[in-house]
Amino acid sequence: MIRTTVLLLTLCALGFAQLATKKALTLEAAKKLAAAAEAEARKNNWNVVITILDEGGNPIYLERMDGTQVGSVDVALAKAKSAIFFKRPTKVFEDNLAAGRNGALKLPNALPVEGGLPLVLADGQFIGAVGVSGVTSAQDGIIAKAAVDALPTLKP
Amino acid sequence: MIRTTVLLLTLCALGFAQLATKKALTLEAAKKLAAAAEAEARKNNWNVVITILDEGGNPIYLERMDGTQVGSVDVALAKAKSAIFFKRPTKVFEDNLAAGRNGALKLPNALPVEGGLPLVLADGQFIGAVGVSGVTSAQDGIIAKAAVDALPTLKP
Amino acid sequence: MIRTTVLLLTLCALGFAQLATKKALTLEAAKKLAAAAEAEARKNNWNVVITILDEGGNPIYLERMDGTQVGSVDVALAKAKSAIFFKRPTKVFEDNLAAGRNGALKLPNALPVEGGLPLVLADGQFIGAVGVSGVTSAQDGIIAKAAVDALPTLKP
Amino acid sequence: MIRTTVLLLTLCALGFAQLATKKALTLEAAKKLAAAAEAEARKNNWNVVITILDEGGNPIYLERMDGTQVGSVDVALAKAKSAIFFKRPTKVFEDNLAAGRNGALKLPNALPVEGGLPLVLADGQFIGAVGVSGVTSAQDGIIAKAAVDALPTLKP
């Protein structure tokens, strides 16, 4: 019985927690990441929609720069949702398509067009995604990367 | 040639133009109106989603303040769309419902809940709408009004 | 300059964090909450669908007890989504309707039928929701409450 | 009376029944199959969504393991639905696509990605399907097969 008790105590000590702890974006953080993306867009004279979603795929922030095609609102949201729902850049799906793997065309919530990137902390935790749409998908991707590059500047 | 010039001037004066000129919100203006709404929300310790749509009902700007219920994203968008699609405050539909006129429940794109206001210039031109959701609908309406009140501060 | 430095240090010390920390349900926790709901259902010989969603409204767990009407799958999911998207029991919307406030019929993602409850920690943090459907909405609500009542038994 | 009995026996032997008898999964069976799949996933340190549908394509059970991408919920459901709606592994459609037969992209309810398997009794009766999503489609398929392999352990 002593052994069992010791075992149980050890198991508890090993931390079989039923509630996890995780980091989450604030609106202030989302604005900062979007500002980095917007700066990259302005530098190139590109007009785009920029959106930041949380870990569950729900919007925190969205802006449409002047002159951006209206359709880019839904495209940017879909790219960002795709990136966090599948924890990978949307370019992965675009590349799969280009390589003839067409299954992604039917995958629910997967938009196979570059411009959506997950936001991942240094410890590997996924905290959201950025979606950009308005210029070419490669250019959208460059702008989205500027938001990702700004992640380390966030105050923890 | 003098005659032609005279004719053209006369046509212009008579107003035969087939392309209209209208005012439109910029992203900078949308951010400024949203900031006024956010300041009002913070002053009251209220957490909400604030969105600004253009004249066509398409989003220019959206932000979700920390702690705001996720459902408010779609509600704020629906309120703002309702306000510009019908050129009236969403409270009008809410009041109609309260008075037993339930038709609004079937009206496409009409959300009968306070918190959506059209953005109207001094000359009567409708240029967009603000939608707010997160607290009570009356409180949402107070925040939305702060965006409307900031309209005269926009530089023409 | 010394004053400025002191001020800056003070501001940093006050914690202007841009990344929030929050608790999240694990699958083990979701199974435990659902088991408590299922036990309540079995005690009463009620057949229902029980679902547990995370904070973003995405499913972690769903079970349909033998003999439950198929339609209850989508209803349980919609109740739970409603409860976390609006951070309140779905009964609030049902009561609003009963009192003549019909606006909820048009509110996106709000299902005005009892049986959906948010999962809230003792510190006020919303970590998800439970949705139950299969018997009367009042009975669904009793089953959902059993899941909520099991929250304090979760190991942090 | 003897004649009547003979007649009835003859009718039965000729098989004129208008109501069929069929086997159906219980929630207990679904949990057991899912547990076999979860064990296979844990053995490999893979995080996935596992779902079990009934013969009509409606969910009996769904679980999302910790750390699984959110998008896998809808994908697992779609794979399982595809497997029972078409009484074949989803890999068949994936292989068709790979061979250039793109028709499956338009086929309603067919998801051409490995990881969905029908659940078939030894007598050839289809009683449901398992759907798995979260790792590569080949790995998803390995996990789904563990559920199928557990079928013979079900008590009739």
Side-chain angles (χ1 to χ4, degrees):
Chain A
M1 204 187 94
I2 290 174
R3 279 201 203 176
T4 314
T5 308
V6 169
L7 179 63
L8 280 172
L9 285 173
T10 310
L11 282 171
C12 288
L14 285 171
F16 282 88
Q18 293 175 324
L19 292 175
T21 301
K22 58 182 183 182
K23 292 288 180 187
L25 288 168
T26 60
L27 172 57
E28 191 188 332
K31 283 183 177 177
K32 201 171 170 187
L33 300 183
E38 185 185 320
E40 179 67 30
R42 287 199 190 283
K43 201 182 70 184
N44 296 284
N45 268 321
W46 292 335
N47 299 324
V48 293
V49 170
I50 300 162
T51 189
I52 308 286
L53 307 189
D54 67 16
E55 191 225 14
N58 296 304
I60 302 176
Y61 183 87
L62 181 142
E63 66 168 54
R64 174 159 53 104
M65 293 170 69
D66 300 342
T68 308
Q69 53 189 9
V70 169
S72 284
V73 172
D74 284 343
V75 175
L77 285 166
K79 284 180 180 178
K81 188 169 187 177
S82 193
I84 185 61
F85 264 42
F86 292 96
K87 290 185 174 177
R88 72 197 74 179
T90 52
K91 188 177 189 306
V92 172
F93 292 121
E94 184 173 323
D95 289 346
N96 282 349
L97 272 191
R101 291 192 289 282
N102 294 326
L105 291 175
K106 289 272 284 204
L107 214 53
N109 297 306
L111 184 63
V113 184
E114 189 174 353
L117 288 174
L119 298 167
V120 195
L121 296 182
D123 64 359
Q125 195 186 152
F126 287 74
I127 55 168
V130 53
V132 176
S133 171
V135 278
T136 72
S137 64
Q139 291 167 339
D140 291 339
I142 290 170
I143 300 170
K145 191 174 170 296
V148 170
D149 289 345
L151 260 179
T153 69
L154 296 181
K155 280 170 280 180
Chain B
M1 204 186 96
I2 290 173
R3 281 203 201 173
T4 314
T5 307
V6 168
L7 179 64
L8 278 171
L9 284 173
T10 309
L11 281 172
C12 286
L14 287 170
F16 277 73
Q18 291 178 324
L19 291 175
T21 300
K22 56 184 182 182
K23 293 286 180 188
L25 287 168
T26 61
L27 172 57
E28 192 188 335
K31 284 183 177 177
K32 200 170 172 189
L33 300 183
E38 186 185 321
E40 179 67 28
R42 287 200 190 282
K43 200 181 71 184
N44 295 285
N45 268 320
W46 292 335
N47 300 322
V48 293
V49 171
I50 299 161
T51 190
I52 307 288
L53 307 189
D54 67 14
E55 189 224 16
N58 298 301
I60 303 175
Y61 182 87
L62 181 144
E63 67 169 53
R64 173 159 54 105
M65 292 171 70
D66 300 342
T68 308
Q69 54 188 11
V70 168
S72 284
V73 173
D74 285 342
V75 175
L77 286 166
K79 284 179 180 177
K81 190 169 188 177
S82 194
I84 185 63
F85 266 41
F86 293 97
K87 292 186 173 177
R88 73 197 74 181
T90 52
K91 189 176 188 309
V92 172
F93 293 120
E94 184 173 323
D95 290 346
N96 283 347
L97 270 192
R101 292 192 289 281
N102 290 322
L105 292 174
K106 288 277 280 199
L107 212 54
N109 298 305
L111 184 62
V113 184
E114 188 174 354
L117 289 173
L119 297 167
V120 196
L121 296 182
D123 64 0
Q125 195 186 149
F126 287 75
I127 56 168
V130 53
V132 175
S133 170
V135 277
T136 70
S137 63
Q139 292 166 339
D140 291 339
I142 291 170
I143 300 170
K145 190 174 170 298
V148 170
D149 290 345
L151 260 179
T153 70
L154 296 181
K155 279 170 286 179
Chain C
M1 204 185 95
I2 291 174
R3 280 203 204 174
T4 315
T5 308
V6 169
L7 178 63
L8 280 172
L9 286 173
T10 309
L11 281 172
C12 288
L14 285 170
F16 283 88
Q18 292 175 325
L19 291 174
T21 301
K22 57 183 183 181
K23 292 287 180 186
L25 287 168
T26 61
L27 172 57
E28 192 187 334
K31 283 183 177 178
K32 202 170 170 188
L33 300 183
E38 185 185 321
E40 180 67 29
R42 287 200 189 283
K43 200 181 70 184
N44 296 283
N45 270 320
W46 292 335
N47 300 323
V48 292
V49 170
I50 299 162
T51 189
I52 307 288
L53 307 189
D54 67 16
E55 190 224 14
N58 296 303
I60 303 176
Y61 182 88
L62 181 143
E63 68 169 55
R64 174 159 54 105
M65 292 171 70
D66 301 342
T68 307
Q69 54 190 9
V70 169
S72 284
V73 172
D74 284 343
V75 175
L77 285 166
K79 284 180 180 178
K81 188 169 186 177
S82 192
I84 185 61
F85 264 43
F86 292 96
K87 292 187 173 176
R88 70 196 76 177
T90 51
K91 188 177 190 307
V92 172
F93 293 119
E94 184 173 323
D95 290 346
N96 283 349
L97 272 192
R101 290 192 289 282
N102 294 327
L105 291 174
K106 288 273 284 206
L107 214 54
N109 296 306
L111 184 63
V113 184
E114 188 174 354
L117 288 174
L119 298 167
V120 195
L121 296 183
D123 64 0
Q125 195 185 152
F126 287 75
I127 56 169
V130 52
V132 175
S133 171
V135 278
T136 70
S137 64
Q139 291 166 340
D140 291 338
I142 291 170
I143 300 170
K145 190 174 170 299
V148 170
D149 289 345
L151 259 180
T153 69
L154 296 181
K155 279 170 282 179
Chain D
M1 204 186 96
I2 290 174
R3 280 202 203 173
T4 314
T5 307
V6 169
L7 179 62
L8 278 172
L9 285 173
T10 309
L11 280 173
C12 286
L14 287 171
F16 276 74
Q18 291 178 324
L19 291 175
T21 300
K22 57 182 182 181
K23 293 287 180 187
L25 286 168
T26 60
L27 172 57
E28 193 187 334
K31 283 183 177 177
K32 201 172 171 186
L33 300 183
E38 185 184 320
E40 179 68 28
R42 287 200 188 284
K43 202 182 71 185
N44 295 285
N45 269 321
W46 293 335
N47 300 323
V48 292
V49 171
I50 299 163
T51 190
I52 308 287
L53 307 190
D54 66 16
E55 189 225 15
N58 297 302
I60 303 175
Y61 182 87
L62 180 142
E63 68 169 53
R64 173 158 54 105
M65 292 170 69
D66 300 342
T68 308
Q69 56 187 11
V70 168
S72 285
V73 173
D74 285 341
V75 176
L77 286 166
K79 285 180 179 178
K81 189 169 187 177
S82 193
I84 185 62
F85 266 41
F86 293 96
K87 291 186 172 178
R88 74 197 71 181
T90 51
K91 189 179 188 307
V92 172
F93 293 120
E94 184 173 322
D95 290 346
N96 283 348
L97 269 193
R101 291 191 290 281
N102 290 323
L105 291 175
K106 288 276 282 198
L107 212 55
N109 299 306
L111 184 62
V113 184
E114 189 174 353
L117 288 173
L119 297 167
V120 196
L121 297 182
D123 64 359
Q125 195 186 150
F126 287 75
I127 56 168
V130 54
V132 175
S133 171
V135 278
T136 71
S137 63
Q139 291 166 339
D140 292 338
I142 291 169
I143 299 170
K145 190 173 170 298
V148 170
D149 290 345
L151 260 179
T153 70
L154 296 180
K155 280 170 283 179

